[in-house]
Amino acid sequence: MVGNNGSGKSTLLKILSRITPPTEGLVVLRGKVGSLLEVGTGFHHELTGRENIFLNGAILGMKKNEVKQRLKAIINFAEINKFIDTPLKHYSTGMKMRLAFSVAAHLDPDILLVDEVLAVGDVDFQQKCLGKMGEVAKSGRTVILVSHDLRAIENLCNRVLYLEHGKQIMFDRARAVINKYLNKNLSDTIFTYKCRLKSKQHAQITSISILDKLGKASAILDIADSFSIRVQYFLPLEFKRTRLKVIFKSFVGQPLFVAEERESGTTNYSNSPYHDVTLIYKPTGQFRFNKADYRLTLSLATAHRDSLDTVDNMRLSFLDKNALTTNLNSGRGHQDNNLIFLPEWEINDKHHYL
């Protein structure tokens, strides 16, 4: 399933998981349903990882011996061997996600529901998840995946449902639906972002500006020039450690690289809840943008990777005035979607660098 934030994708998965009842109509399910929705759903945080595996097996109607037969494979796939007997409340968000996916995929559900499995975890584990979902699908079972990674959807899915405001826009072969979704979003992408502060009780990104080398607002840049992304956000004083992250994606949604502000917070550089930071990009011989359109996702999260606020679907375009060449989107560079570069982060309210 594809669609912008708020289109109803996660709500539909909750209906299919029998967590939320439909307001009208009905759902016919044939077989056991395994679901991976919000991180931690279906887990008991006082129990250990091992105990939670058996708990989930019992919920699916499996006998203890059946779970035991799959236990080693679940633990190895999740890569949490050292922490399997630690209470879940001490797990990071990424560890919970890995265990949750491993449990859902290995307990042999007839229908596997997955919501944004690629949003958490490192790239290697994301690829493992995609491979495992492919195995489940090839074994004759059903996988329903919600993701903003259109390349993953195209590679994995036979058919795609496009939702908008809770209504079906299109249900067809993957490539046809993705093309329609991209064409619709081409007109919806934003170049600047401003949002009035809604509440002083919650963290919120309030302004994002893309600036060219002269400091003027622009979302069309030359690949040979420097540019910056200025972000203003509100952070209640009780949040002592936060991370601001900018995810650069190809226009079809494939993550390319991440620019991440190192741990910061009110104790580090400001006694004010209002923050103003700038990511400064300077092209080098080793790294340049291609002449193409890109999408940006900006997120503010705690040091434990719990999301506080996210702005999605910003657009950035590059021109090549001097016919420079690059291989970011060709050859091996296209496959290396974990590319990380180290831009400068300027703290405007204190005028120094992290």
Side-chain angles (χ1 to χ4, degrees), residues 36-57:
L36 176 57
L37 306 181
E38 296 174 7
V39 175
T41 301
F43 281 152
H44 194 299
H45 288 254
E46 296 295 331
L47 300 180
T48 66
R50 188 187 304 272
E51 291 166 340
N52 270 289
I53 293 173
F54 283 97
L55 173 64
N56 274 263

Side-chain angles (χ1 to χ4, degrees), residues 228-289:
S228 58
I229 302 174
R230 183 181 180 186
V231 185
Q232 295 172 296
Y233 59 93
F234 178 86
L235 187 68
L237 293 176
E238 58 264 29
F239 291 99
K240 301 300 183 184
R241 290 288 184 271
T242 58
R243 292 175 181 269
L244 183 63
K245 180 166 64 175
V246 183
I247 304 171
F248 290 77
K249 304 175 183 178
S250 67
F251 202 71
V252 296
Q254 173 76 357
L256 296 173
F257 57 90
V258 176
E260 186 171 25
E261 180 191 20
R262 286 173 292 184
E263 258 188 42
S264 62
T266 55
T267 57
N268 280 9
Y269 57 81
S270 177
N271 292 319
S272 169
Y274 297 92
H275 297 271
D276 188 339
V277 301
T278 301
L279 175 153
I280 304 170
Y281 166 77
K282 297 177 181 178
T284 67
Q286 292 75 35
F287 182 91
R288 290 180 187 270
F289 283 89

Side-chain angles (χ1 to χ4, degrees), residues 287-324:
F287 182 91
R288 290 180 187 270
F289 283 89
N290 197 6
K291 185 178 70 173
D293 292 328
Y294 295 85
R295 291 177 183 269
L296 302 181
T297 294
L298 291 91
S299 68
L300 186 63
T302 67
H304 299 295
R305 308 286 179 172
D306 297 321
S307 178
L308 298 173
D309 193 18
T310 300
V311 176
D312 206 358
N313 214 30
M314 293 197 70
R315 183 182 175 191
L316 185 62
S317 300
F318 287 89
L319 300 177
D320 186 0
K321 295 179 182 177
N322 296 316
L324 298 174

Side-chain angles (χ1 to χ4, degrees), residues 5 17 39 50 78 98 211-212 220 317 329 332:
N5 293 335
S17 300
V39 175
R50 188 187 304 272
R98 292 200 300 269
L211 308 174
D212 63 18
I220 302 178
S317 300
N329 271 336
R332 178 163 175 77

Side-chain angles (χ1 to χ4, degrees), residues 58-331:
I59 292 173
L60 285 173
M62 299 179 68
K63 295 179 180 179
K64 191 172 183 179
N65 284 338
E66 292 179 299
V67 179
K68 279 185 176 179
Q69 292 173 5
R70 298 166 175 81
L71 184 63
K72 186 175 181 180
I74 291 172
I75 297 172
N76 289 339
F77 187 93
E79 301 172 1
I80 56 168
N81 305 61
K82 295 180 180 178
F83 306 100
I84 194 61
D85 293 309
T86 300
L88 209 72
K89 62 184 178 182
H90 299 303
Y91 282 28
S92 68
T93 301
M95 291 169 65
K96 292 175 187 174
M97 211 293 301
R98 292 200 300 269
L99 180 60
F101 180 86
S102 188
V103 168
H106 284 84
L107 293 184
D108 293 341
D110 299 297
I111 303 168
L112 178 61
L113 309 176
V114 183
D115 191 359
E116 287 293 358
V117 69
L118 302 179
V120 181
D122 55 58
V123 173
D124 289 340
F125 189 75
Q126 291 171 6
Q127 295 304 314
K128 283 179 64 175
C129 290
L130 288 173
K132 187 63 180 178
M133 284 189 285
E135 290 177 16
V136 172
K138 289 177 182 177
S139 68
R141 290 172 283 169
T142 299
V143 177
I144 300 180
L145 168 67
V146 168
S147 178
H148 289 287
D149 188 341
L150 301 182
R151 188 175 300 278
I153 285 181
E154 184 178 8
N155 291 337
L156 188 67
C157 301
N158 306 108
R159 299 177 71 80
V160 175
L161 172 64
Y162 174 17
L163 290 177
E164 194 172 282
H165 304 299
K167 296 181 179 180
Q168 174 181 312
I169 301 299
M170 188 176 184
F171 181 56
D172 204 336
R173 296 185 307 275
R175 171 41 52 186
V177 177
I178 288 172
N179 283 340
K180 184 174 181 65
Y181 177 62
L182 284 175
N183 289 335
K184 172 64 170 62
N185 277 271
L186 183 62
S187 60
D188 290 344
T189 50
I190 55 177
F191 302 106
T192 60
Y193 174 84
K194 288 189 181 296
C195 183
R196 183 174 58 86
L197 184 62
K198 300 173 183 177
S199 169
K200 292 189 177 181
Q201 307 301 316
H202 304 287
Q204 181 187 331
I205 298 172
T206 56
S207 175
I208 303 169
S209 300
I210 300 172
L211 308 174
D212 63 18
K213 64 178 182 179
L214 300 177
K216 295 181 179 180
S218 175
I220 302 178
L221 306 164
D222 191 292
I223 62 173
D225 291 340
S226 61
F227 70 92
S228 58
I229 302 174
R230 183 181 180 186
V231 185
Q232 295 172 296
Y233 59 93
F234 178 86
L235 187 68
L237 293 176
E238 58 264 29
F239 291 99
K240 301 300 183 184
R241 290 288 184 271
T242 58
R243 292 175 181 269
L244 183 63
K245 180 166 64 175
V246 183
I247 304 171
F248 290 77
K249 304 175 183 178
S250 67
F251 202 71
V252 296
Q254 173 76 357
L256 296 173
F257 57 90
V258 176
E260 186 171 25
E261 180 191 20
R262 286 173 292 184
E263 258 188 42
S264 62
T266 55
T267 57
N268 280 9
Y269 57 81
S270 177
N271 292 319
S272 169
Y274 297 92
H275 297 271
D276 188 339
V277 301
T278 301
L279 175 153
I280 304 170
Y281 166 77
K282 297 177 181 178
T284 67
Q286 292 75 35
F287 182 91
R288 290 180 187 270
F289 283 89
N290 197 6
K291 185 178 70 173
D293 292 328
Y294 295 85
R295 291 177 183 269
L296 302 181
T297 294
L298 291 91
S299 68
L300 186 63
T302 67
H304 299 295
R305 308 286 179 172
D306 297 321
S307 178
L308 298 173
D309 193 18
T310 300
V311 176
D312 206 358
N313 214 30
M314 293 197 70
R315 183 182 175 191
L316 185 62
S317 300
F318 287 89
L319 300 177
D320 186 0
K321 295 179 182 177
N322 296 316
L324 298 174
T325 58
T326 181
N327 65 353
L328 179 62
N329 271 336
S330 62

